[in-house]
Amino acid sequence: MWGTPCPAVRSIRPYRSSEEYLYAMKEDLAEWLKELYDLDIEVGTFVEMLETGSVLCSHANNITHMAGEFSRACPGAARHLHLPAAGVACNLAAQPGTFQARDNVSNFIQWCRKEMDIKGKVPDVLMFETEDLVLRKNEKNFVLCLLELARRAARFGMRAPTLVQMEQEIEEELRQELDLPLTDTLLPRPPRKPRDLHNLDQMVLEGRCTCPVQFPMIKISEGKYRVGDSDTLIFVRILREHVMVRVGGGWDTLEHYLDKHDPCRCTSLCESLCPQTCGWSPLPPVTWGSRAPPSPRPPSPEGSSHPLGASPRREKPQRVPSSR
């Protein structure tokens, strides 16, 4: 029976996996913005390049411009989409941490809410606040907002990050499997580089444990696996050196996904982390025997010279002399 992870596992491991997941997304978004606007940006300078809000506001105005072109080229499809109609004011000379930078970021957030209708059922998941970026209080929500904005802009022709392109491929695969009708709300997509699915299968196998009884992970088709004892299907893709798993409406790393669902990895993780972090150690095994424990000896009668629990000493019988 699998034990419940101690508090150290619940607090330490998700943070580490979240860092890995965010790093993969920031790396993808940085490369995407670099190609779109010829920026000198990479994953290490991702936040520094965007914290003044100048690039964000320029990006918003570019999306509005492309939406207008899409509306004129495809009026029928445009009627089914929420297209931005207005741009956003921007101070291109804003410096990091200044009120001008906060104004830029605030204008971008309001534009996302009003013109792109990015709210979501749970606003905290898809949107961020000004201080989240300017003071770097919550990079995760900022990154998720940029990714959601890219998804929506891709519907009317904006070039999408690799993660969004992989989502589109998976949706197309599901559409063909379920024989769903084509949608007319998308412009032709630029072709992606061929996927190295053979390398993907090798990387998936490397992520599994070496126990005699392994967590089931059965390949159904290229990039699709059935995991666990249920009929759960997951889509796996390679994002540079990261192996990503499509989970619900988002992404996770394969390592973190297996840490959460493979009982062997969960138990090994708990046993390796807990003794060093919270002093926890597994209880020794209990050996069940068929013999009952000995019952305590009854106390000796009153007036007896024997101590409590001690056995009276047995006297040797005296020899009776012979009558001869």
Side-chain angles (χ1 to χ4, degrees):
M1 185 175 184
W2 303 108
T4 303
C6 70
V9 175
R10 290 194 295 268
S11 61
I12 293 177
R13 186 59 185 180
Y15 176 80
R16 176 182 169 189
S17 300
S18 177
E19 284 293 306
E20 181 184 2
Y21 167 62
L22 281 178
Y23 185 90
M25 288 198 300
K26 288 194 294 185
E27 188 178 44
D28 188 35
L29 289 171
E31 183 175 308
W32 169 64
L33 290 173
K34 182 177 182 179
E35 294 176 354
L36 275 180
Y37 303 116
D38 195 25
L39 296 175
D40 185 17
I41 185 174
E42 56 185 18
V43 64
T45 60
F46 180 75
V47 177
E48 287 83 352
M49 288 292 297
L50 303 178
E51 63 182 345
T52 65
S54 302
V55 174
L56 297 177
C57 292
S58 300
H59 179 52
N61 290 330
N62 187 31
I63 291 176
T64 303
H65 174 72
M66 294 198 67
E69 292 185 347
F70 176 79
S71 182
R72 290 186 291 271
C74 307
R79 286 196 295 267
H80 301 285
L81 296 176
H82 187 102
L83 299 179
V88 56
C90 178
N91 186 339
L92 296 178
Q95 296 299 312
T98 62
F99 288 108
Q100 291 80 9
R102 285 177 167 83
D103 286 341
N104 284 344
V105 176
S106 178
N107 291 340
F108 174 77
I109 291 174
Q110 295 304 317
W111 178 85
C112 288
R113 293 184 184 276
K114 181 180 179 182
E115 299 297 330
M116 296 299 291
D117 195 32
I118 300 182
K119 299 182 183 68
K121 297 180 180 178
V122 184
D124 291 341
V125 174
L126 295 179
M127 283 307 304
F128 67 102
E129 301 297 333
T130 303
E131 302 301 316
D132 293 339
L133 176 59
V134 175
L135 298 182
R136 306 182 190 181
K137 289 185 175 181
N138 192 340
E139 290 187 19
K140 178 181 178 181
N141 282 22
F142 168 62
V143 170
L144 291 178
C145 178
L146 277 188
L147 198 60
E148 178 63 21
L149 179 60
R151 289 189 188 99
R152 302 191 182 204
R155 298 174 185 173
F156 46 84
M158 173 71 72
R159 181 174 179 177
T162 304
L163 274 175
V164 176
Q165 294 181 41
M166 292 191 299
E167 292 172 5
Q168 294 171 346
E169 292 175 355
I170 293 173
E171 290 171 1
E172 177 65 18
E173 184 177 336
L174 290 174
R175 186 196 66 79
Q176 293 179 1
E177 289 182 358
L178 300 175
D179 197 21
L180 297 176
L182 287 168
T183 59
D184 58 350
T185 58
L186 291 173
L187 293 177
R189 302 170 186 163
R192 281 190 62 213
K193 297 178 182 179
R195 295 175 293 170
D196 187 1
L197 294 177
H198 176 69
N199 189 29
L200 170 63
D201 295 333
Q202 288 182 340
M203 297 177 75
V204 169
L205 292 176
E206 289 174 0
R208 301 177 66 187
C209 65
T210 57
C211 300
V213 180
Q214 291 187 336
F215 181 67
M217 198 163 182
I218 304 171
K219 180 179 177 181
I220 302 301
S221 60
E222 299 297 343
K224 184 193 296 185
Y225 296 83
R226 177 178 288 116
V227 296
D229 297 326
S230 63
D231 293 332
T232 303
L233 294 177
I234 62 172
F235 292 88
V236 185
R237 295 292 186 269
I238 295 178
L239 181 66
R240 297 164 187 84
E241 73 273 13
H242 310 282
V243 183
M244 308 296 291
V245 180
R246 179 71 167 156
V247 181
W251 294 90
D252 198 356
T253 59
L254 178 62
E255 180 181 1
H256 186 217
Y257 181 85
L258 291 177
D259 283 346
K260 293 186 295 184
H261 293 84
D262 184 351
C264 175
R265 291 172 68 107
C266 294
T267 304
S268 300
L269 182 64
C270 186
E271 291 178 353
S272 62
L273 281 182
C274 290
Q276 290 83 7
T277 54
C278 63
W280 176 89
S281 60
L283 293 175
V286 178
T287 304
W288 299 98
S290 58
R291 296 179 59 185
S295 58
R297 295 180 181 271
S300 57
E302 272 187 41
S304 172
S305 59
H306 306 297
L308 183 63
S311 299
R313 188 172 175 181
R314 186 174 285 180
E315 299 282 346
K316 290 186 179 181
Q318 302 239 351
R319 197 176 226 179
V320 180
S322 176
S323 57
R324 282 190 216 176

